Each structure stands twice: as structure tokens, then as C-alpha cells.
């Protein structure tokens, strides 16, 4: 059974940093690209970032480019999102999502339950 | 940048009725890269349809997708109580539509 479990969320002040983690199990982790998708309270879904199965290719939404860094450790079956220079508009539930293809097809067949990030002074 | 616009914003229907949800793209989208997701309150989204018309694993056949170019449709043939949720379309660069809420009338 595929499982994705996010952690690392919390309350942080504007300008601060946070590192999210996603522990994956139930599939061959490095065979698939992985994503972070977020959802602000009461709002829709926003794709944030993609990393290929080998970790060699990364992509970001314009709204986070230069501030967020996606990475993965295939030896630990783990995905990460380093978030710097956080803004109030980054407040959201952050989901880890599995792609169906190693290089990224933007088709998300499994999702975690999310970890909440609140940026507030 | 391709923008996806979903309509209507809210659809009020009764169980057993047919639901038709629309997703319109600002530019032509390859059908291979159009997906639909369902999200219930307090839950993560679930993949329903990919490639515009292929059902994901375990999705009942009352859900169907169609369309090409700039106009795509998700149809739920007969609404079950568990189908009342928010539905999002999504295209290959990750962008989502704003969602359509299907609520009980």
C-alpha cells in the first residue's frame, strides 16, 4: 500500500524558514517524480514544485521560485521542501504527491494528508 | 501560461441526478495532460480521470471524462451520496482550475 506522510509544518513568522518532509512507502521511490502541492485555507489547489525520480531535475511555480527548494533522499525514501523568506500568502496545507512517471507527468496518483504551514506575526 | 476555468462554481443536485462539470482552457491543451480530481472535506484530493477520459484505478464507471482542445467535461452519470465534493481539473504543467463544488440540493 502506497503511503505518503508529511511532517514539519508549524507556525513561523514572515521572513522565516521551515523544512517540510514527506516519508514514502509502498512503492519504489526513485522510479517516480514527486511533487508538493498546497492549498490555502478554504481555497483551491496550487502546484508548488516537482522533482524527478533521480533528483536531477526540479521545477517551481513562479510564486515560490527563488525561495523554496525541493530535494529528495532516495536512500531514505524521503522528499523535502525547504521554504525560506516565508510570506503570509504561503500559509496553506502542503501536500506531498506521487507522480506516475519518473520524469514527471504532473499526474498525481497518490497524495499524503498534508502538513499545515501558518505564516503569521 | 494556460489558465483553466471551471464552471459552474457550484452545482446543486439531488442524488441520482446527472452532473456535468466544465473545464475550459485559455489555450489548446493536449488531452493526454488533462486530469480531474475529487476532494472531500478534510481529505486529500483523489485522482479520478487522466488523459481527459481514462478512469484511474478503482474509480466507478459512473465517472467519465471527455473533451479536447480547450473544452473538457467531467460527467457523473448518477450522483451517489459520496460524490458530493469539490472537483478540480488540472493540466500538464500542474495548473489547476478553481474547482466546482457539487452540493446536495
Amino acid at each position: 500500500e502506497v503511503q505518503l506522510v508529511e511532517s514539519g509544518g508549524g507556525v513561523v513568522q514572515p521572513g522565516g524558514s521551515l523544512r517540510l518532509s514527506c516519508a514514502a512507502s509502498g512503492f519504489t521511490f526513485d522510479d517516480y517524480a514527486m511533487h508538493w502541492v498546497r492549498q490555502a485555507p478554504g481555497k483551491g489547489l496550487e502546484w508548488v514544485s516537482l522533482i524527478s525520480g533521480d533528483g536531477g531535475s526540479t521545477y517551481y511555480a513562479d510564486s515560490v521560485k527563488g525561495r523554496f527548494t525541493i530535494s529528495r533522499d532516495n536512500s531514505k525514501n524521503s522528499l523535502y521542501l525547504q521554504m525560506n523568506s516565508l510570506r503570509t500568502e504561503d500559509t496553506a496545507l502542503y501536500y506531498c504527491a506521487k507522480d506516475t512517471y519518473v520524469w514527471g507527468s504532473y499526474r498525481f496518483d497518490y497524495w499524503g494528508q498534508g502538513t499545515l504551514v501558518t505564516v503569521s506575526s | 501560461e494556460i489558465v483553466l476555468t471551471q464552471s459552474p462554481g457550484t452545482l446543486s443536485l439531488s442524488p441520482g441526478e446527472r452532473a456535468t462539470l466544465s473545464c475550459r482552457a485559455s489555450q489548446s491543451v493536449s488531452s493526454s495532460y488533462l486530469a480531474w480530481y475529487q476532494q472531500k472535506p478534510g481529505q486529500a484530493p483523489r485522482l479520478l480521470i487522466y488523459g481527459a477520459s481514462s478512469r484511474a484505478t478503482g474509480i466507478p464507471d459512473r465517472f467519465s471524462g471527455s473533451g479536447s482542445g480547450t473544452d473538457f467535461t467531467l460527467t457523473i452519470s448518477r450522483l451517489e451520496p459520496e460524490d458530493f465534493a469539490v472537483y478540480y481539473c488540472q493540466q500538464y504543467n500542474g495548473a489547476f482550475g478553481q474547482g466546482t463544488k457539487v452540493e446536495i440540493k
Side-chain angles (χ1 to χ4, degrees), chain B residues 2-59:
Chain B
I2 297 177
V3 176
L4 299 178
T5 301
Q6 293 185 239
S7 62
T10 302
L11 199 50
S12 299
L13 295 168
S14 300
E17 289 193 294
R18 181 184 187 91
T20 303
L21 287 66
S22 173
C23 176
R24 179 162 291 177
S26 58
Q27 303 172 42
S28 185
V29 172
S30 168
S31 297
S32 299
Y33 298 114
L34 196 287
W36 290 91
Y37 297 83
Q38 176 194 63
Q39 188 178 32
K40 298 179 183 179
Q43 295 186 18
R46 176 173 71 147
L47 178 64
L48 294 178
I49 300 288
Y50 64 92
S53 60
S54 298
R55 276 187 300 276
T57 303
I59 301 303

Side-chain angles (χ1 to χ4, degrees), chain A residues 13-102:
Chain A
Q13 292 188 337
S17 299
L18 214 52
R19 189 193 195 209
L20 306 183
S21 299
C22 172
S25 61
F27 64 101
T28 304
F29 187 62
D30 55 5
D31 277 354
Y32 299 96
M34 297 293 294
H35 301 256
W36 289 99
V37 178
R38 68 185 181 183
Q39 187 169 34
K43 302 298 184 182
L45 300 168
E46 180 187 16
W47 172 78
V48 172
S49 185
L50 151 70
I51 187 167
S52 60
D54 66 353
S57 298
T58 57
Y59 303 89
Y60 299 92
D62 287 343
S63 57
V64 306
K65 201 173 293 182
R67 300 188 298 122
F68 290 11
T69 302
I70 191 171
S71 62
R72 64 192 295 162
D73 185 338
N74 287 346
S75 69
K76 296 182 178 179
N77 287 355
S78 293
L79 174 72
Y80 306 101
L81 186 68
Q82 177 67 44
M83 303 186 296
N84 298 331
S85 303
L86 282 161
R87 306 167 179 168
T88 55
E89 55 264 36
D90 295 319
T91 294
L93 187 64
Y94 283 73
Y95 292 104
C96 160
K98 173 187 168 292
D99 200 290
T100 61
Y101 182 53
V102 64

Side-chain angles (χ1 to χ4, degrees), chain A residues 39 44 95 106-108 111-112, chain B residues 37 39 44-45 50 88 90 92:
Chain A
Q39 187 169 34
Y95 292 104
Y106 292 88
R107 181 190 307 167
F108 314 132
W111 300 63
Chain B
Y37 297 83
Q39 188 178 32
Y50 64 92
Y88 295 93
Q90 180 234 354
Y92 82 101

